[in-house]
Amino acid sequence: MTTANPIRGEADITIGRESFRVAVTFSGLTKLSQATKVLTLDDLYRRLIGFEPFAVACAVRTLIVADDDDKASALSARILDDSNISMADRDSWQEGIEKAFLAHVEGGHRHRDERSSHEMAEAAILGEQGRPS
């Protein structure tokens, strides 16, 4: 497996015997919100960090990185099999999902502050530091 790309909101997670990658994207969060019927990102994040079983199961399926839908389904089934996942996986899950969320947010910040050298100089000279373009 290649290294997770935090610029794309990716993080590696191991649950039981299965190592996999998740990517937090806005479209993935939309699907996860619909599946769990959670309306706010704050509530969704709390449920995921809290290792709430249904939210984690839906997140594994909606945020998993796989070549195609069939591979995502098969990998999700192995991850979520009762013989594989348990409360012992909470720390690994929390660490990975937190990395993925932070990477998603940081990526968004980077996209909002892609100013040219000229724009940065203008902002500094005119006293508009910190104002993204």
Side-chain angles (χ1 to χ4, degrees):
M1 183 184 281
T2 60
T3 305
N5 184 345
I7 294 171
R8 291 194 305 251
E10 293 180 355
D12 292 324
I13 300 175
T14 299
I15 291 183
R17 313 176 285 288
E18 299 292 334
S19 293
F20 60 100
R21 180 166 299 144
V22 295
V24 171
T25 62
F26 204 78
S27 61
L29 292 172
T30 300
K31 291 175 189 173
L32 184 55
S33 175
Q34 288 177 324
T36 58
K37 299 185 181 6
V38 174
L39 301 178
T40 70
L41 285 177
D42 288 341
D43 289 341
L44 187 59
Y45 182 77
R46 268 193 291 280
R47 287 177 65 181
L48 292 174
I49 289 297
F51 204 63
E52 191 268 306
F54 185 69
V56 169
C58 290
V60 165
R61 185 60 182 91
T62 58
L63 303 180
I64 200 163
V65 175
D67 293 335
D68 60 44
D69 201 46
D70 289 338
K71 289 180 182 177
S73 181
L75 181 54
S76 296
R78 290 193 312 269
I79 293 164
L80 298 172
D81 188 276
D82 281 339
S83 67
N84 187 62
I85 192 170
S86 76
M87 287 300 296
D89 299 303
R90 181 180 181 153
D91 291 343
S92 178
W93 171 260
Q94 287 173 331
E95 181 181 329
I97 204 69
E98 185 173 31
K99 280 182 187 176
F101 263 85
L102 288 173
H104 174 77
V105 171
E106 289 171 3
H109 287 302
R110 274 191 301 280
H111 288 312
R112 282 155 187 77
D113 196 20
E114 292 178 347
R115 298 175 289 173
S116 69
S117 297
H118 170 74
E119 292 168 324
M120 288 187 272
E122 286 282 311
I125 290 167
L126 299 175
E128 299 171 341
Q129 295 170 342
R131 190 189 99 211
S133 57

